[in-house]
């Protein structure tokens, strides 16, 4: 057995080999085509090869038969071009014959390992072969029936190997999707079996509910990622003979909804029975949402739209039934399912040009009086307000509701937004966004601080709706901001009096999240200026004070720093204030104060443990860096003005940047993604526009920065490596230009070149720094799969021209390190690289 195992593993490794090196991730399951070498063809053409592995599966114990099946998965994935058409048909016939044998003797499939591999094997059949080829196989009718029965049995035993169901649904999804393209006269029989599969999935999921609740098992509905993936696959399968699926779903929905109503109105309300019924309804609503959403993938007929109308009516009626029970009881799973349905209905039937003629509204207007998408939008908004009012304590429902509101407020197409703002529920929200009406905006101790996160989404959506008709109406904006004004005044009073810390802190965290949502949505100069005039100077000083006091509490500092970073974003040129306005400079001074305060305070914490260093320190530093980067690249502050008028805010913030940087190790800079993605782009801005600052740094700081660039050049993250290349290019270009000026020094240039002289002197003392970077770049280009070649090529010419002697040595080393047959080729490439290159860094010269 040990020998058989090693042999099977050897075969499997051979078949798993990435023959042409096109798989970036070998752990992924999507290497669906095995690029078998042509000289193996004869082995694959012999029918005995496949027979051998099927025989091994039948005769070996489970541990080994699983490996035989894994080999067969790869055999089924053999590239099509290995065979001629008749050979491929014969090969497929042998595979199908093997499937038939396994399904006629299914004893081995009771082992979960075998079962899983067999499901993968079935999925690969359709991945690599067309439906037109499958139906031509002699045993196709019997085999498709066996596969259908096997799938139905698998779906009914939902608790056995749930991860394997994905592969079975993949097979059916791909088969049904191919139906329109089949040209052969042979029957594909999918119209017989696909509805059976859909029915088995639906009924098995409904039957699992009482078992899950009674035995306290893990509920499949809790794993939403898997559920949505399976529903998406089922959606395609269900569209085959859609009438059968809809009839079944209508029947099940009516039956379950009636039972639910009876239970609600019965004198002896049995909570367990009610929970079971609600669990079933949740599944049914997910199914309806899926099938309605599936319309997009198929060219739908009027009959199908009418059926969608039938199904949708029932969910809208269920919404009324569920909301009538509030605030006494509500079921989280049903609510999440309803929100999923509403979102699918929105994508399919709202704002679409088809909807005016769509039959979906015919049935809905008869039953519910919903005649068009205006009525549907009213239903959406009423549901959103109801959820936000009464389900404030249920975080998943609130967050999904707000996501739905956010999707609606994005407003595509724009006329939808125009319709939305006329709805009473929207007007109510714009005028009453307080904790009295929407408890989730409260700050009581019942809510954890992380619950306050959803407020940002709420205010982003609300502000987008406000913006539709706002124009330049400052009074309207003031009215909208009134609840926040009241909160800020309260915080100011608390700060000036006895100082109830906890309450002030919670209020401020909520306010910072609210304001960030508002600032994110204000994308015009006029509206942004209104917000700036509202917050500056009175309320921004409150935020500064909070950073001073609570710097060691990230729950408080993170939202405030993120708010400041959002303020600094010049999105859509919203920060380009009028010529007479000093707002840009005033805003930068406030940001400078906040970053300096936070930086100085955070460094006083000393050394932190490994698990505390990111939340307590590095996260805040990364937000400060991204705020500073936005300011430097935003093009709304003339930084030369600060020095001219003796204002030290710019110098201070750059010094704070250096102090914070030196407190972080190089490994942490690259290890924490958010930190590296804010530090390296900031460094790129500094080297592009503020080289005088870079050259004024002490040698140890310069070495630190250059080492961080050197290490970032080989980073996997292309944002980091591209920023490193750009920074290096700016430094090298600066040096080269300085050297060029040195060569033709006149009286006038002597003063200018003090900064350059310092940097040149430093580089002459540490020549190995640039040499090492040249070596890294050359090795990356020659030996590695370089994904950002253009970025890597930018600093290369400057490095070569500054270090010509070292370049010659490096070139010789690289050539000699190659095997004899490749040296000539590499030498030729190097000659081509430098051919016609002149001694300058002009764009034309760089691009040669």
């Amino acid at each position: 057995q040990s020998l058989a195992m090693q042999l099977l593993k050897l075969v499997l490794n051979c078949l798993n080999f990435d023959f042409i090196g096109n798989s970036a991730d070998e752990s992924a399951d999507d290497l669906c085509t095995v690029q078998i070498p042509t000289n193996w063809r004869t082995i694959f053409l012999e029918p005995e090869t496949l027979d051998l592995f099927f025989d091994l599966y039948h005769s070996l114990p489970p541990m080994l038969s699983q490996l035989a099946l894994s080999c067969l998965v790869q055999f089924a994935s053999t590239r099509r071009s290995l065979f001629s058409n008749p050979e491929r048909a014969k090969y497929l016939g042998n595979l199908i014959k093997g499937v038939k044998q396994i399904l006629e003797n299914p004893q081995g499939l009771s082992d979960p390992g075998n079962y899983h591999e067999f499901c993968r094997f079935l999925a690969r059949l359709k991945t690599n072969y067309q439906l037109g080829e499958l139906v031509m196989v002699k045993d196709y009718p019997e085999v498709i029936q066996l596969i259908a029965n096997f799938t139905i049995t698998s779906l009914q035993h939902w608790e056995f190997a749930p991860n394997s169901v994905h592969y079975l649904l993949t097979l059916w999804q791909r088969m049904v999707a191919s139906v329109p393209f089949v040209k052969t006269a042979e029957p594909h029989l999918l119209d017989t079996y696909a509805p059976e599969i859909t029915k088995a999935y639906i009924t098995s999921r409904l039957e699992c509910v009482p078992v899950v609740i009674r035995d306290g098992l893990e509920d499949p509905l809790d794993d939403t990622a898997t559920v949505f993936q399976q529903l998406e696959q089922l959606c395609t399968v269900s569209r085959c003979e859609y009438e059968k699926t809809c009839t079944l779903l209508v029947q099940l929905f009516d039956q379950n909804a009636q039972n639910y109503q009876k239970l609600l109105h019965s004198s002896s309300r049995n909570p367990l029975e009610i929970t079971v019924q609600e669990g079933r309804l949740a599944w049914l609503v997910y199914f309806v949402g899926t099938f309605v959403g599936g319309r997009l993938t198929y060219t739908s007929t009027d009959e199908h739209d009418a059926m969608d109308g039938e199904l949708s009516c029932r969910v809208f009626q269920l919404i009324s039934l569920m909301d009538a029970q509030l605030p006494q009881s509500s079921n989280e799973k049903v609510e999440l399912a309803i929100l999923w349905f509403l979102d699918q209905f929105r994508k399919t039937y709202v704002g679409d040009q088809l909807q005016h003629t769509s039959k979906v509204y015919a049935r809905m207007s008869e039953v519910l009086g919903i005649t068009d998408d205006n009525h549907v939008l009213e239903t959406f908004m009423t549901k959103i307000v109801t959820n936000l009012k009464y389900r404030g304590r249920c975080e998943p429902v609130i967050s999904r509701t707000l996501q739905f509101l956010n999707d609606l407020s994005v407003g595509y197409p724009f006329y939808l937004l125009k319709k939305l703002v006329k709805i009473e529920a929207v007007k109510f929200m714009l005028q009453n966004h307080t904790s009295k009406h929407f408890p989730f905006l409260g700050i009581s101790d019942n809510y954890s601080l992380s619950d306050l996160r959803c407020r940002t989404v709420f205010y982003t959506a609300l502000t987008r709706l406000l913006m539709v008709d706002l124009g330049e109406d400052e009074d309207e904006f003031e009215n909208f901001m009134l609840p926040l004004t009241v909160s800020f005044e309260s915080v100011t009073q608390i700060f000036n009096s006895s100082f109830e810390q906890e309450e002030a802190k919670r209020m401020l965290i909520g306010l910072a999240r609210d304001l960030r949502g508002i600032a994110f949505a204000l994308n015009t100069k006029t509206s942004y200026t209104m917000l700036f005039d509202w917050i500056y100077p009175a309320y921004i000083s409150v935020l500064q004070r909070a950073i001073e006091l609570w710097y060691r509490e990230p729950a408080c500092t993170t939202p405030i720093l993120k708010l400041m970073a959002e303020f600094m974003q010049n999105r859509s040129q919203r920060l380009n204030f009028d010529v007479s306005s000093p707002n840009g400079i005033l805003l930068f001074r406030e940001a400078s104060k906040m970053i300096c305060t936070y930086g100085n305070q955070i460094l006083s914490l000393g050394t932190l443990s490994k698990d505390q260093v990111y939340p307590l320190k590095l996260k805040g530093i990364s937000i400060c860096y991204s705020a500073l980067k936005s300011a430097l690249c935003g093009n709304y502050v003339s930084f030369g003005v600060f020095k001219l008028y003796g204002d030290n805010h710019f110098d201070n913030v750059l010094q704070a940047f250096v102090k914070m940087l030196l407190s972080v190790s190089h490994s942490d800079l690259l290890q924490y993604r958010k930190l590296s993605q804010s530090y390296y782009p900031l460094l790129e801005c500094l080297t592009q526009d503020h080289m005088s600052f870079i050259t004024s740094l002490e040698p140890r700081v310069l070495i630190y920065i250059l080492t961080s660039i050197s290490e970032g050049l080989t980073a996997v993250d292309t944002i980091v490596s591209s920023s490193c290349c750009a920074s290096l290019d700016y430094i090298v270009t600066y040096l080269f230009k300085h050297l060029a000026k040195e060569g033709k020094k006149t009286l006038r240039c002597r003063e200018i070149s003090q900064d350059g002289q310092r940097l040149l002197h430093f580089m002459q003392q540490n020549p190995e720094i640039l040499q090492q970077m040249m070596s890294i770049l050359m090795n990356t280009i020659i030996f590695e799969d370089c994904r950002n070649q253009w970025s890597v090529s930018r600093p290369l010419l400057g490095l070569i021209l500054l270090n010509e002697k070292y370049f010659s040595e490096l070139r010789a080393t690289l050539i000699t390190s190659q095997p004899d047959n490749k040296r000539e080729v590499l030498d030729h490439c190097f000659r081509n690289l430098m051919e016609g290159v002149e001694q300058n860094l002009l764009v034309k010269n760089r691009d040669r």
Side-chain angles (χ1 to χ4, degrees):
Q1 279 199 9
S2 175
L3 176 61
M5 177 182 271
Q6 297 307 327
L7 282 168
L8 283 166
K9 280 184 177 173
L10 175 62
V11 173
L12 184 58
N13 287 344
C14 290
L15 292 170
N16 271 328
F17 186 73
D18 184 12
F19 289 98
I20 58 172
N22 65 347
S23 170
D25 179 12
E26 290 179 2
S27 64
D29 188 45
D30 36 26
L31 189 65
C32 288
T33 306
V34 184
Q35 302 291 341
I36 298 294
T38 310
N39 53 359
W40 293 14
R41 208 172 96 87
T42 46
I43 307 169
F44 279 71
L45 288 177
E46 291 167 5
E48 294 78 21
T49 309
L50 281 179
D51 293 348
L52 169 66
F53 283 89
F54 281 115
D55 292 345
L56 284 169
Y57 161 74
H58 288 294
S59 53
L60 291 172
M63 190 65 200
L64 299 175
S65 57
Q66 184 182 331
L67 282 170
L69 273 177
S70 299
C71 293
L72 284 165
V73 171
Q74 297 305 94
F75 275 114
S77 313
T78 305
R79 65 183 170 98
R80 295 172 58 81
S81 52
L82 191 68
F83 310 108
S84 64
N85 284 349
E87 287 166 351
R88 195 181 310 115
K90 193 175 169 188
Y91 186 74
L92 177 60
N94 288 333
L95 286 170
I96 295 290
K97 188 179 76 181
V99 171
K100 189 180 171 195
Q101 284 170 357
I102 291 175
L103 288 172
E104 283 171 344
N105 306 290
Q107 303 84 340
L109 296 176
S110 57
D111 173 70
N114 280 346
Y115 172 79
H116 183 75
E117 288 304 318
F118 184 64
C119 292
R120 285 182 64 219
F121 177 53
L122 290 177
R124 287 292 173 90
L125 283 177
K126 179 60 194 77
T127 308
N128 232 4
Y129 294 94
Q130 294 161 4
L131 184 56
E133 293 173 314
L134 287 165
V135 297
M136 300 303 289
V137 174
K138 188 178 68 159
D139 295 333
Y140 176 78
E142 298 108 86
V143 172
I144 196 73
Q145 185 181 0
L146 286 167
I147 294 175
N149 293 340
F150 172 69
T151 308
I152 290 166
T153 312
S154 299
L155 291 173
Q156 285 164 348
H157 295 87
W158 53 271
E159 71 289 354
F160 179 79
N163 295 339
S164 310
V165 169
H166 163 76
Y167 295 104
L168 291 174
L169 290 175
T170 300
L171 169 72
W172 288 99
Q173 178 194 20
R174 288 183 168 157
M175 298 262 272
V176 171
S178 309
V179 168
F181 310 107
V182 177
K183 300 286 187 287
T184 55
E186 302 291 323
H188 52 68
L189 304 175
L190 292 179
D191 38 12
T192 309
Y193 298 116
E196 296 293 317
I197 304 298
T198 309
K199 181 181 178 181
Y201 189 89
I202 293 172
T203 50
S204 67
R205 293 311 173 258
L206 295 185
E207 283 158 13
C208 83
V209 175
V211 183
V212 165
I213 291 169
R214 195 180 58 236
D215 300 347
L217 302 175
E218 204 174 307
D219 190 345
L221 264 186
D222 291 339
D223 181 5
T224 48
T226 305
V227 170
F228 289 159
Q229 187 184 41
Q230 291 181 0
L231 289 177
E232 192 183 324
Q233 294 171 311
L234 187 74
C235 153
T236 309
V237 182
S238 70
R239 286 273 161 180
C240 186
E241 298 294 306
Y242 193 47
E243 299 79 4
K244 292 181 185 173
T245 304
C246 287
T247 312
L248 170 73
L249 214 47
V250 164
Q251 181 194 334
L252 288 169
F253 209 111
D254 289 349
Q255 186 185 326
N256 281 283
Q258 281 162 12
N259 290 347
Y260 184 54
Q261 274 177 302
K262 277 182 199 162
L263 284 168
L264 288 180
H265 296 131
S266 75
S267 49
S268 57
R269 283 173 65 125
N270 181 341
L272 190 71
E273 279 295 310
I274 288 177
T275 310
V276 168
Q277 218 50 51
E278 285 174 339
R280 285 183 172 146
L281 285 168
W283 272 110
L284 286 165
V285 174
Y286 273 122
F287 291 135
V288 174
T290 304
F291 299 156
V292 168
R295 180 188 195 282
L296 299 174
T297 55
Y298 261 73
T299 44
S300 233
T301 61
D302 282 351
E303 290 74 33
H304 285 189
D305 286 1
M307 288 176 222
D308 283 351
E310 282 285 355
L311 292 170
S312 301
C313 278
R314 284 159 171 76
V315 182
F316 283 116
Q317 285 171 317
L318 179 67
I319 291 173
S320 308
L321 178 65
M322 298 301 292
D323 288 352
Q325 298 175 58
L326 289 168
Q328 285 79 24
S329 69
S330 85
N331 181 292
E332 181 185 314
K333 283 180 179 142
V334 179
E335 288 307 325
L336 291 174
I338 285 171
L339 286 164
W340 156 259
F341 161 77
L342 293 177
D343 198 40
Q344 296 301 311
F345 191 90
R346 172 187 72 83
K347 288 174 185 169
T348 312
Y349 288 112
V350 175
D352 190 345
Q353 295 312 307
L354 291 168
Q355 58 91 12
H356 299 295
T357 55
S358 173
K359 285 277 189 290
V360 79
Y361 288 105
R363 182 68 182 141
M364 284 166 65
S365 63
E366 282 171 35
V367 181
L368 305 167
I370 294 177
T371 52
D372 57 13
D373 62 357
N374 286 343
H375 282 109
V376 171
L377 288 172
E378 278 176 34
T379 312
F380 285 176
M381 294 315 300
T382 310
K383 178 65 185 160
I384 287 169
V385 170
T386 306
N387 279 5
L388 297 181
K389 263 187 169 183
Y390 297 112
R391 297 194 169 86
R393 300 301 308 278
C394 181
E395 204 272 332
V397 172
I398 287 289
S399 106
R400 187 79 69 81
T401 305
L402 289 174
Q403 195 50 57
F404 182 51
L405 173 63
N406 191 44
D407 292 344
L408 280 168
S409 74
V410 171
Y412 176 80
F414 183 69
Y415 70 80
L416 272 187
L417 274 182
K418 285 284 192 192
K419 288 179 178 179
L420 274 175
V421 291
K422 289 176 185 157
I423 295 170
E424 285 306 314
V426 173
K427 291 177 184 170
F428 175 81
M429 278 162 68
L430 287 171
Q431 287 157 11
N432 300 287
H433 46 98
T434 59
S435 56
K436 179 183 161 195
H437 296 283
F438 301 118
F440 79 96
L441 294 173
I443 51 154
S444 66
D445 294 342
N446 303 338
Y447 294 90
S448 74
L449 291 177
S450 65
D451 287 349
L452 301 176
R453 284 180 191 167
C454 54
R455 294 170 63 148
T456 307
V457 181
F458 176 65
Y459 272 98
T460 298
L462 220 48
T463 310
R464 283 194 191 118
L465 295 169
L466 173 77
M467 291 272 289
V468 175
D469 292 328
L470 180 66
E472 296 181 8
D473 189 342
E474 291 182 21
D475 293 340
E476 169 121 9
F477 185 75
E478 284 290 333
N479 283 338
F480 176 71
M481 296 300 284
L482 200 59
L484 286 89
T485 311
V486 171
S487 298
F488 255 121
E489 292 300 335
S490 310
V491 174
T492 312
Q493 280 175 358
I494 295 173
F495 269 12
N496 295 335
S497 61
S498 61
F499 199 44
E500 176 55 53
Q501 281 224 7
E502 204 48 46
E503 189 188 350
K505 198 185 298 172
R506 280 178 167 270
M507 283 178 90
L508 261 181
I509 293 168
L511 278 167
R513 293 193 185 285
D514 299 347
L515 279 171
R516 183 166 151 234
I518 292 170
F520 181 77
L522 297 176
N523 278 340
T524 64
K525 183 168 132 185
T526 313
S527 58
Y528 183 88
T529 307
M530 288 182 201
L531 178 64
F532 183 82
D533 293 340
W534 178 85
I535 201 170
Y536 184 87
Y539 301 147
I540 213 156
S541 58
V542 176
L543 299 174
Q544 299 280 17
R545 179 90 192 278
I547 290 283
E548 239 169 86
L549 285 169
W550 296 311
Y551 64 91
R552 56 173 69 239
E553 296 187 43
C556 186
T557 55
T558 300
I560 295 175
L561 290 170
K562 280 187 173 175
L563 169 63
M564 186 51 89
E566 179 53 49
F567 272 142
M568 307 306 287
Q569 288 264 10
N570 191 9
R571 205 180 299 109
S572 309
Q573 304 301 304
R574 63 185 187 172
L575 278 164
N576 291 8
F577 296 108
D578 295 335
V579 185
S580 57
S581 165
N583 287 356
I585 288 174
L586 295 174
L587 178 62
F588 180 77
R589 284 167 56 154
E590 292 300 330
S592 167
K593 276 186 220 165
M594 189 176 283
I595 292 170
C596 292
T597 306
Y598 180 77
N600 291 331
Q601 298 277 45
I602 209 74
L603 297 181
S604 66
L605 290 177
T607 312
L608 296 165
S609 65
K610 188 77 179 154
D611 58 330
Q612 284 190 311
V613 73
Y614 183 73
L616 280 183
K617 177 176 148 184
L618 299 182
K619 187 173 185 180
I621 290 177
S622 77
I623 301 167
C624 289
Y625 281 2
S626 59
L628 185 53
K629 187 249 172 193
S630 298
L632 292 179
C633 300
N635 232 0
Y636 54 90
V637 182
S638 173
F639 292 102
V641 167
F642 289 95
K643 195 171 180 183
L644 195 62
Y645 291 101
D647 184 327
N648 57 5
H649 281 92
F650 184 48
D651 285 342
N652 290 350
V653 81
L654 292 179
Q655 291 312 316
F657 156 74
V658 172
K659 279 185 198 167
M660 288 192 275
L661 181 62
L662 293 177
S663 73
V664 181
S665 69
H666 280 125
S667 59
D668 283 351
L669 264 186
L670 284 165
Q671 187 180 346
Y672 295 100
R673 187 163 160 264
K674 284 185 178 172
L675 179 60
S676 54
Q677 288 191 347
S678 58
Y679 163 67
Y680 284 104
L682 169 58
L683 186 59
E684 186 183 337
C685 282
L686 287 168
T687 50
Q688 183 176 9
D689 298 323
H690 303 280
M691 271 308 290
S692 57
F693 161 69
I694 299 285
T695 57
S696 68
L697 294 170
E698 294 173 32
R700 69 190 181 92
V701 182
L702 257 181
I703 285 179
Y704 183 97
I705 286 175
L706 290 168
T707 309
S708 74
I709 293 176
S710 180
E711 291 186 359
L713 287 173
T714 53
V716 177
D717 189 337
T718 47
I719 294 177
V720 171
S721 57
S722 298
S723 284
C724 285
C725 291
S727 304
L728 179 57
D729 184 31
Y730 292 130
I731 293 170
V732 168
T733 306
Y734 181 85
L735 261 177
F736 188 84
K737 283 182 178 172
H738 172 73
L739 274 171
K741 279 181 188 169
E742 285 281 293
K744 46 184 180 189
K745 193 187 286 184
T746 62
L747 203 63
R748 205 165 52 86
C749 296
R750 208 162 282 165
E751 274 309 300
I752 306 170
S753 59
Q754 282 299 307
D755 291 341
Q757 202 56 44
R758 266 200 305 273
L759 186 62
L760 183 63
H761 181 63
F762 170 81
M763 287 301 183
Q764 284 167 345
Q765 286 186 317
N766 304 279
E768 71 288 345
I769 295 179
L770 290 183
Q771 292 172 1
Q772 186 193 1
M773 292 203 224
M774 191 204 296
S775 171
I776 289 170
L777 290 178
M778 274 298 179
N779 279 293
T780 304
I781 290 169
I782 295 172
F783 299 116
E784 291 186 25
D785 184 14
C786 182
R787 282 166 298 170
N788 47 347
Q789 211 144 12
W790 190 85
S791 300
V792 171
S793 72
R794 293 296 88 186
L796 205 53
L797 180 60
L799 285 169
I800 291 171
L801 295 180
L802 285 173
N803 294 280
E804 291 192 68
K805 183 166 177 271
Y806 178 74
F807 175 64
S808 303
E809 291 168 12
L810 179 64
R811 170 181 169 166
T813 312
L814 286 168
I815 291 170
T816 50
S817 70
Q818 292 300 298
D820 292 348
N821 57 343
K822 289 190 179 170
R823 285 181 188 173
E824 184 60 41
V825 179
L826 191 56
D827 185 40
H828 182 64
C829 291
F830 271 115
R831 282 205 302 277
N832 281 354
L833 179 71
M834 298 309 290
E835 195 176 311
V837 171
E838 297 163 14
Q839 287 284 324
N840 64 53
L841 288 179
L842 300 175
V843 175
K844 195 168 85 174
N845 199 32
R846 283 172 185 262
D847 290 342
R848 278 189 197 282

